[in-house]
């Protein structure tokens, strides 16, 4: 791993270590620039905050798609990290999901509320969890599979925040989104699941 000028720790590889619990989903040929992870429920049903250590994407040859761990490559849409970025603490920032280091993690703030109440205690008006993670590939790319990697932790408080139900979506304009997968009742480590390309909504 290396420490960049921005103070963030960067890994030389995106792929998880072989022993890492993971979910792998296979897609048909659908190139998108943006991939959105929308968590719908956590391991503990009452939680609206959620956490993952990393997300890794792979091409049709199962080679990792290398993405820069920068704040322009991954961002949170509809919410904030549990701890705001400081010069010395980046632990819960969205960028952590691309650093390839299971000891660091992203966590969405469950108590986040906007002044207009469009987000209230981490939820949208329709009841969905507000924090959606967007990965910017910088150009349209075909992803054949990806992995969700949980934190290396035995802390029950952290395990309650692991995603249990989520959707993966793809877009080229951040407006029209295609549903690529819908995972329900997941437990880590997870099984492989097939998905097909969705139509843009």
């Amino acid at each position: 791993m290396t420490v960049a000028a921005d103070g963030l720790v960067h890994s030389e590889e995106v792929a998880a270590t072989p022993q890492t619990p993971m979910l792998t989903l296979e897609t048909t040929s659908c190139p998108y620039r943006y991939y959105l992870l929308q968590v719908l429920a956590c391991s503990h049903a009452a939680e609206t905050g959620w956490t993952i250590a990393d997300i890794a994407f792979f091409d049709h040859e199962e080679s990792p798609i290398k993405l820069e761990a920068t704040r322009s490559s991954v961002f949170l849409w509809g919410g904030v990290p549990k701890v705001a970025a400081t010069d010395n603490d980046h632990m819960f920032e969205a960028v952590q999901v691309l650093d390839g280091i299971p000891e660091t993690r992203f966590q969405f703030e469950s108590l986040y509320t906007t002044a207009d109440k469009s987000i209230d205690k981490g939820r949208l008006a329709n009841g969905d969890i507000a924090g959606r993670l967007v990965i910017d590939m910088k150009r349209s790319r075909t992803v054949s599979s990806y992995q969700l990697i949980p934190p290396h932790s035995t802390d029950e408080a952290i395990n309650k925040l692991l995603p249990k139900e989520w959707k993966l979506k793809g877009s080229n304009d951040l407006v029209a989104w295609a549903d690529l997968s819908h995972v329900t009742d997941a437990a880590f480590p997870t099984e492989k699941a097939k998905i097909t390309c969705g139509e843009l909504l």
Side-chain angles (χ1 to χ4, degrees), residues 15-35:
T17 52
Q19 69 272 20
T20 303
M22 68 183 184
L23 173 77
T24 302
L25 301 108
E26 299 172 2
T27 69
T28 56
S29 180
C30 293
Y32 297 109
R33 172 172 173 172
Y34 304 100
Y35 288 84

Side-chain angles (χ1 to χ4, degrees), residues 71-82:
R71 295 181 185 90
S72 66
S73 296
V74 56
F75 55 91
L76 191 59
W77 197 2
V80 296
K82 182 173 176 60

Side-chain angles (χ1 to χ4, degrees), residues 14-137:
V14 176
T17 52
Q19 69 272 20
T20 303
M22 68 183 184
L23 173 77
T24 302
L25 301 108
E26 299 172 2
T27 69
T28 56
S29 180
C30 293
Y32 297 109
R33 172 172 173 172
Y34 304 100
Y35 288 84
L36 180 146
L37 178 66
Q38 180 182 13
V39 174
L40 300 173
C42 299
S43 296
H44 190 277
E47 292 289 350
T48 57
W50 58 273
T51 190
I52 58 171
D54 289 292
I55 184 168
F57 295 90
F58 301 87
D59 62 22
H60 67 283
E61 295 180 342
E62 292 304 311
S63 297
I65 296 174
K66 294 187 180 296
L67 299 172
E68 257 194 293
T70 65
R71 295 181 185 90
S72 66
S73 296
V74 56
F75 55 91
L76 191 59
W77 197 2
V80 296
K82 182 173 176 60
V83 177
T86 68
D87 290 338
N88 300 314
D89 184 4
H90 302 278
M91 180 176 179
F92 295 113
E93 280 194 89
V95 70
Q96 301 297 355
V97 302
L98 295 182
D99 67 8
I101 306 170
E103 287 74 25
T104 64
R105 62 189 175 94
F106 158 73
Q107 185 171 329
F108 168 61
E109 175 55 76
S110 61
L111 299 178
Y112 179 66
T113 301
T114 57
D116 63 2
K117 295 290 185 177
S118 60
I119 299 175
D120 188 16
K121 294 182 180 177
R123 291 193 182 273
L124 300 171
N126 65 2
D128 286 349
I129 295 174
R132 290 151 290 172
L133 199 64
V134 178
I135 310 296
D136 183 356
M137 299 276 185

Side-chain angles (χ1 to χ4, degrees), residues 150-172:
H152 280 185
S153 175
T154 56
D155 188 332
E156 186 59 30
I158 293 176
N159 291 335
K160 286 181 179 180
L161 303 177
L162 291 176
K164 183 176 182 180
E165 179 182 2
W166 65 85
K167 289 183 178 180
L168 179 72
K169 300 183 179 187
S171 175
N172 283 309

